[in-house]
């Protein structure tokens, strides 16, 4: 399952009571507190170490009186190989900014409670992730939950008398359940599909629980899915946003795909369920809607519920539509019916007649206002950036925004004019030391007569009289827009800072350019989208400042597939490739992956279905079928906990290149998944990335 932004809740272990930094270091056996970086950067060049020094701003929450903003910042220690998240508050205009926690462990899922007098959050201070409360200034921390196994996320009821929380429960049987006399046996006995998912063996699933809350502790915990082998929220990325309280505190809406095993592996059909606390009855409000239905949110007057919905079962990259139900009549309103773009985030307006939504249009993510009854969609913001999320504060939106040249900061957006003012400057000291390259928007002609938006990122202090080695960046997904994203691994500005021109096309199959453009890639791997890549690099290669004899190509996931495919079909354009977590053998991938709906939709079906022309075309375009044409140095990286695209795919590609006598290198991470999450592994990846390309493109 894939969303624009992965929203899995990052939980951390342990936290000590507030005090001075010196006290923390002593209590933690002299381990330094991870906090704001004081890095000094020479020559204005962004290095991997500089990239990992940025504070990562997230999760904006506005107080009930619209006066204060609560948010978190995650700091990274490469030395300790871990992160730490702290909490901050400020006025809605950005003044009086204060750090209210200073602990060696993280605070997560922080929200205003008790009419803004308290802040509730997750902490592992007691040994497992539990719900805590503290005063709005960070003092008087107390633990209010003691849930066996810990809490993954939570939401207080509007009346404050109950707490909805997420907890993992056991799924399936272990060997010891069948054979109690073998308590140390490690083997997994598997009888059905979905035994693994993204980066974990499926031995637990999240369930929503409701508990009574007397203001100090939780009691009378109730599992809403008691005895049901289903997950809510949905793995791997769903969090508390997939559940919601009704304003009267009598109903909980939750997202669930009530399927398991093979049926789960083949379907994306999730639904929104209402659980009535008085009657204990559960009702499916999206019965008959066949794709993903997620993220319910009630209007403040209780008259409506909104959610995001995809139409077709099995298509995880279908248009993400905004739907609203009138709870008195049951009428469903398709609000974005005439809007050809995804709804990625939605919040009700104060009058409940419209919703503010986030949507990516032509690779720039803006805030729009969607009117429920007229279905009018009005653009609120503009500019070259991506808005990520926001909260309402009176006549303003307090929003997270980033671009290719700046990580997340918080902005105040006027809901009448769309004008935005930056109100946090978490990374100013670091950004002031770095020279960013120019980011240029180009529209390039494709082989079938269309225009394709391509971002070109130039090296800092670019000199048009010089020639630069150039990298083609291939996006993953495959349906993930090359927007104004900021990445801590695939950071285009850092690539450019190492003396490369970066070419990043929004090739066929990427959202934000309409339904037709997005859907063309399904069943056409190795087809038009590869022609789009070559059109982009060929157009840039005409520029006098591009060294057309020193072109490279890189990407991850579908971008890794792209690098493998182009390695056998590039007609000597490139001098080096690097593929991370890519698919090398599509037939093997079909039987190795876990979310079969994805393989069935995008590849067209199984490779043994000889009558399926779409599937046969897909497998005929598997990169491994062009290995005899490989003639270019290639580096391969992969994580061994990647259950989406197994590390065997990378190993096959490495072995094939070696057997062909092609210069190659492999970087395997035994403790990483589809992503590279650990700081030192991230630095290692970056160093090897540039060592590889510098070797082949700068000599």
């Amino acid at each position: 399952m894939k969303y624009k932004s992965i929203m899995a809740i990052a939980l951390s272990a342990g936290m000590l009571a507030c005090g001075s930094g010196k006290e923390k270091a002593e209590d933690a056996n002299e381990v330094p507190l991870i906090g704001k970086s004081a890095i000094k950067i020479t020559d204005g060049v962004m290095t991997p170490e500089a990239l990992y020094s940025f504070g990562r701003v997230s999760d904006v929450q506005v107080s009930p009186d619209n006066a204060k903003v609560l948010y978190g910042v995650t700091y990274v220690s490469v030395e300790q190989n871990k992160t730490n998240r702290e909490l901050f508050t400020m006025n809605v205009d950005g003044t009086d900014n204060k750090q209210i926690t200073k602990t060696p462990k993280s605070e997560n899922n922080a929200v205003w409670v008790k009419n803004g007098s308290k802040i509730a959050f997750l902490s592992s201070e007691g040994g497992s992730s539990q719900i805590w409360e503290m005063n709005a200034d960070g003092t008087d921390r107390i633990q209010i939950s003691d849930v066996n196994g810990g809490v993954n996320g939570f939401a207080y009821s509007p009346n404050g008398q109950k707490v909805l929380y997420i907890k993992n429960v056991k799924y399936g049987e272990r060997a010891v359940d069948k054979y109690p006399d073998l308590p140390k046996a490690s083997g997994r006995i598997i009888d059905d599909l979905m035994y693994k998912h993204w980066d974990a063996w499926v031995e637990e699933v999240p369930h929503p629980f409701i508990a009574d809350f007397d203001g100090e502790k939780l009691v009378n915990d109730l599992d809403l899915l008691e005895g049901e082998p289903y997950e809510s929220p949905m793995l791997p990325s769903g969090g508390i946003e997939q559940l919601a309280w009704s304003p009267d505190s009598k109903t909980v809406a939750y997202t669930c795909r009530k399927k398991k095993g093979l049926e789960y592996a083949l379907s994306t059909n999730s639904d929104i369920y209402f659980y009535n606390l008085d009657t204990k009855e559960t009702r499916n409000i999206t019965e008959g809607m066949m794709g993903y239905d997620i993220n319910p949110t009630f209007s403040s007057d209780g008259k409506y519920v909104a959610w995001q919905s995809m139409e077709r079962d099995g298509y995880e990259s279908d248009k993400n539509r905004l739907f609203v139900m009138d709870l008195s009549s049951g009428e469903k309103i398709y609000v974005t019916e005439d809007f050809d773009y995804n709804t990625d985030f939605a919040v009700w307006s104060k009058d409940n007649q419209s919703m503010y939504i986030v949507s990516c249009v032509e690779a720039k993510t803006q805030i729009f206002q969607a009117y429920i009854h007229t279905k009018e969609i009005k653009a609120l913001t503009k500019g070259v950036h991506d808005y990520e999320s926001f909260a309402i504060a009176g006549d303003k939106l307090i929003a997270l925004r980033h671009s290719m040249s700046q990580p997340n900061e918080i902005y105040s957006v006027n809901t009448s004019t769309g004008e935005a003012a930056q109100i946090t400057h978490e990374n100013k000291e670091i950004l002031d030391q770095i020279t960013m390259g120019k980011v240029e928007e180009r529209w390039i002609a494709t082989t079938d007569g269309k225009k394709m938006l391509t971002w070109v990122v130039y090296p800092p202090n670019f000199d048009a009289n010089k020639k630069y080695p150039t990298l083609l960046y291939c996006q993953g997904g495959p349906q993930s827009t090359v927007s104004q994203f900021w990445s801590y691994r695939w950071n285009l500005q850092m690539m450019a800072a190492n003396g490369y021109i970066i070419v990043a096309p929004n090739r066929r199959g990427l959202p934000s350019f309409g339904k037709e453009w997005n859907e063309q890639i399904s069943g056409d791997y190795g087809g038009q989208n590869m022609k789009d890549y070559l059109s982009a690099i060929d157009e840039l290669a005409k520029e006098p400042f591009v060294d057309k004899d020193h072109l490279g190509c890189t990407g991850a996931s579908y971008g890794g597939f792209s690098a493998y495919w182009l390695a056998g079909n590039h007609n000597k354009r490139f001098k080096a490739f690097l593929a991370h977590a890519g698919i090398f053998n599509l037939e093997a991938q079909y039987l190795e992956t876990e979310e079969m709906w994805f393989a069935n939709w995008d590849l067209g079906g199984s490779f043994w279905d000889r009558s399926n022309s779409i599937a046969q075309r897909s497998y005929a375009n598997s990169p491994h079928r062009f290995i005899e044409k490989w003639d270019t140095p290639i580096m391969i990286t992969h994580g061994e906990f990647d259950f989406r695209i197994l590390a065997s795919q990378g190993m096959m590609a490495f072995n094939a290149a070696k057997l062909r006598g092609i210069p190659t290198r492999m970087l395997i991470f035994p403790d990483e998944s589809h992503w590279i999450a650990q700081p030192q592994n991230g630095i290692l990846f970056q160093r090897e990335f540039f060592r590889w390309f510098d070797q082949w493109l700068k000599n």
Side-chain angles (χ1 to χ4, degrees):
M1 173 173 150
K2 179 179 67 215
Y3 300 123
K4 186 174 184 296
S5 297
I6 297 294
M7 299 178 70
I9 299 173
L11 301 177
S12 61
M15 181 176 65
L16 302 175
C18 284
S20 70
K22 181 179 179 181
E23 291 168 343
K24 298 299 177 304
E26 291 172 352
D27 290 343
N29 298 319
E30 304 302 326
V31 175
L33 180 69
I34 300 173
K36 193 177 182 71
S37 172
I39 190 172
K40 299 300 179 185
I41 299 168
T42 59
D43 303 324
V45 175
M46 188 180 348
T47 62
E49 292 75 15
L51 184 64
Y52 273 76
S53 68
F54 285 104
R56 306 179 184 188
V57 181
S58 62
D59 200 11
V60 171
Q61 304 285 333
V62 173
S63 61
D65 63 1
N66 295 323
K68 289 282 188 179
V69 177
L70 167 69
Y71 66 98
V73 181
T74 300
Y75 298 109
V76 180
S77 169
V78 174
E79 180 182 6
Q80 296 183 43
N81 200 33
K82 62 182 182 179
T83 63
N84 180 39
R85 190 171 188 270
E86 303 285 9
L87 298 179
F88 294 75
T89 60
M90 63 180 173
N91 295 330
V92 291
D93 62 0
T95 60
D96 195 29
N97 190 304
K98 296 177 180 177
Q99 182 174 342
I100 62 170
T101 62
K102 196 173 185 182
T103 69
K105 305 293 182 178
S106 296
E107 290 85 9
N108 294 288
N109 197 174
V111 292
W112 299 97
V113 295
K114 297 181 177 177
N115 203 32
S117 65
K118 298 281 186 178
I119 292 170
F121 56 96
L122 289 180
S123 163
S124 298
E125 180 174 340
S128 64
S129 176
Q130 300 293 340
I131 306 169
W132 289 63
E133 280 186 3
M134 63 184 174
N135 293 332
D137 62 1
T139 60
D140 295 336
R141 302 158 67 102
I142 61 169
Q143 182 176 334
I144 67 164
S145 74
D146 187 19
V147 175
N148 185 31
V151 175
N152 298 343
F154 69 92
Y156 283 39
S157 63
N159 64 13
Q161 297 175 9
K162 295 183 182 293
V163 173
L164 170 69
Y165 68 84
I166 303 164
K167 171 192 169 180
N168 285 350
V169 301
K170 182 182 176 182
Y171 177 84
E173 287 188 315
R174 311 291 180 268
V176 71
D177 296 325
K178 293 181 179 294
Y179 306 105
D181 61 325
L182 302 176
K184 296 183 179 180
S186 61
R188 293 180 172 90
I189 303 168
I190 296 167
D191 294 311
D192 209 343
L193 291 188
M194 290 310 296
Y195 52 88
K196 58 182 174 64
H197 201 184
W198 277 99
D199 61 354
W201 298 98
V202 182
E203 296 184 334
E204 293 182 326
V205 293
H207 274 196
F209 287 72
I210 295 175
D212 294 329
F213 182 44
D214 63 5
E216 295 182 357
K217 63 183 182 299
L218 305 185
V219 294
N220 302 323
D221 305 55
L222 172 69
D223 182 353
L224 302 193
L225 293 175
E226 178 69 38
E228 297 186 45
Y230 311 123
E231 60 188 28
S232 178
M234 295 191 298
L235 296 171
S237 56
I240 196 65
E241 76 285 346
Q242 291 195 357
L243 303 98
W245 282 102
S246 63
D248 62 6
S249 301
K250 293 182 178 181
T251 300
V252 168
Y254 66 88
T255 304
C256 189
R257 177 170 38 201
K258 296 202 172 183
K259 304 176 189 299
K260 63 176 184 172
L262 175 62
E263 188 182 17
Y264 181 110
L266 293 172
S267 175
T268 60
N269 183 17
S270 65
D271 286 296
I272 306 297
Y273 293 85
F274 280 7
Y275 179 86
N276 186 293
L277 274 67
D278 292 333
T279 66
K280 313 300 185 196
E281 294 178 345
T282 299
R283 178 167 64 98
N284 183 353
I285 70 159
T286 58
E287 186 84 41
M289 300 181 76
M290 300 309 296
Y292 277 134
D293 292 289
I294 63 170
N295 299 352
T297 177
F298 289 92
S299 59
S300 62
D301 58 11
K303 294 181 179 180
Y304 304 98
V305 65
W307 70 97
Q308 292 163 269
S309 174
M310 294 187 185
E311 182 178 8
R312 289 166 283 183
D313 190 5
Y315 185 24
E316 70 170 25
S317 296
D318 207 350
K319 178 186 173 183
N320 217 3
R321 308 170 297 172
L322 177 63
F323 264 80
V324 168
M325 176 183 282
D326 183 323
L327 293 176
S328 62
S329 67
E331 177 192 7
K332 295 187 181 86
I333 305 168
Y334 179 7
V335 180
T336 55
E337 186 172 8
D338 300 320
F339 187 63
D340 202 18
Y341 308 98
N342 289 332
T343 300
D344 296 314
F345 183 83
V347 175
W348 283 97
S349 63
K350 292 298 183 182
D351 65 4
N352 297 310
Q353 297 303 300
S354 66
M355 298 192 78
Y356 295 105
I357 65 174
V358 166
S359 182
C360 192
V361 176
E362 294 187 348
K364 297 171 285 289
T365 308
Q366 309 293 355
I367 300 173
F368 296 79
Q369 190 166 9
Y371 293 87
I372 304 305
H373 299 291
T374 66
K375 300 184 180 181
E376 177 190 2
I377 311 296
K378 182 178 72 174
L380 183 60
T381 63
K382 59 182 178 181
V384 184
H385 48 240
D386 282 356
Y387 281 96
E388 183 176 304
S389 61
F390 54 83
I392 295 179
D395 61 352
K396 298 180 178 62
L397 303 179
I398 307 300
L400 282 173
R401 194 178 98 181
H402 56 258
S403 71
M404 286 183 180
S405 304
Q406 178 184 281
N408 267 351
E409 292 286 0
I410 301 175
Y411 287 74
S412 174
V413 180
N414 186 300
T415 56
S416 296
T417 66
E419 293 181 4
Q422 186 174 342
I423 58 174
T424 61
H425 301 272
E426 170 64 36
N427 292 299
K428 184 179 187 304
E429 293 85 353
I430 301 172
L431 290 169
D432 283 350
Q433 300 179 68
I434 294 175
T435 302
M436 295 290 182
K438 174 186 174 184
V439 178
E440 178 181 83
E441 177 180 336
R442 287 201 182 196
W443 289 85
I444 290 172
T446 61
T447 56
D448 58 346
K450 301 183 184 297
K451 293 290 185 180
M452 172 177 61
L453 188 153
T454 299
W455 298 111
V456 182
V457 185
Y458 293 86
N461 305 310
F462 171 73
D463 184 346
N465 295 314
K466 294 182 179 179
K467 285 187 177 291
Y468 293 88
T470 299
L471 294 177
L472 174 68
Y473 169 73
C474 300
Q475 179 70 310
Q479 296 95 347
S480 297
T481 311
V482 186
S483 62
Q484 276 294 306
F485 70 102
W486 174 272
S487 171
Y488 286 95
R489 186 154 50 90
W490 297 94
N491 190 287
L492 305 191
Q493 281 286 3
M494 192 176 69
M495 294 181 193
N498 279 266
Y500 294 93
I501 290 173
I502 311 303
V503 180
N506 275 279
R507 46 85 180 151
R508 224 60 56 97
L510 298 188
S512 85
F513 300 92
K515 180 178 178 180
E516 179 183 352
W517 188 273
N518 182 61
E519 295 194 358
Q520 192 283 328
I521 195 172
S522 298
D524 193 37
Y525 282 25
Q528 182 60 49
N529 66 101
M530 295 301 165
K531 295 177 184 178
D532 291 347
Y533 277 138
L534 295 176
S535 293
I537 197 65
D538 287 349
E539 182 66 22
L540 266 296
K542 297 174 184 177
E543 297 287 358
F545 47 79
V546 169
D547 185 348
K548 62 182 178 61
D549 296 322
H550 290 87
L551 304 178
C553 173
T554 189
S557 196
Y558 187 81
F561 166 93
S562 302
Y564 288 147
W565 192 91
L566 288 168
N569 294 276
H570 68 108
N571 196 23
K572 300 189 182 301
R573 286 176 172 85
F574 299 104
K575 292 298 184 290
F577 292 91
L578 187 150
H580 174 74
I583 304 169
F584 173 70
N585 184 325
L586 283 175
E587 291 186 6
Q589 171 68 9
Y590 185 80
L591 294 179
E592 289 178 344
T593 196
E594 10 77 291
E595 295 179 350
M596 294 308 303
W597 65 77
F598 175 82
N600 282 334
W601 190 281
D602 258 33
L603 299 180
S606 64
F607 59 84
W608 57 80
D609 185 355
R610 303 299 178 187
S611 64
N612 185 331
S613 60
I614 294 175
Q616 292 308 310
R617 180 176 64 184
S618 294
Y619 296 110
N621 270 290
S622 176
H624 83 282
R625 294 189 178 276
F626 304 101
I627 191 67
E628 76 280 1
K629 297 181 181 179
W630 281 25
D631 57 6
T632 306
I634 185 166
M635 181 173 172
I636 292 140
T637 71
H638 221 115
E640 289 192 78
F641 277 144
D642 187 348
F643 293 162
R644 177 67 158 177
I645 300 173
L646 296 190
S648 57
Q649 293 281 334
M651 294 175 184
M652 282 190 286
F654 175 78
N655 290 3
K658 271 296 181 186
L659 291 169
R660 293 276 342 277
I662 295 166
T664 186
R665 180 178 300 149
M666 183 165 62
L667 176 58
I668 286 287
F669 297 96
D671 52 356
E672 298 284 5
S673 62
H674 201 59
W675 304 274
I676 300 173
Q678 298 176 59
Q680 290 195 15
N681 281 341
I683 297 287
L684 173 61
F685 173 85
Q686 298 289 358
R687 290 179 182 176
E688 284 297 301
F689 181 98
F690 292 110
R691 185 166 77 95
W692 177 257
F693 278 122
D694 288 354
Q695 175 184 349
W696 298 104
L697 302 186
K698 291 186 177 179
N699 296 316

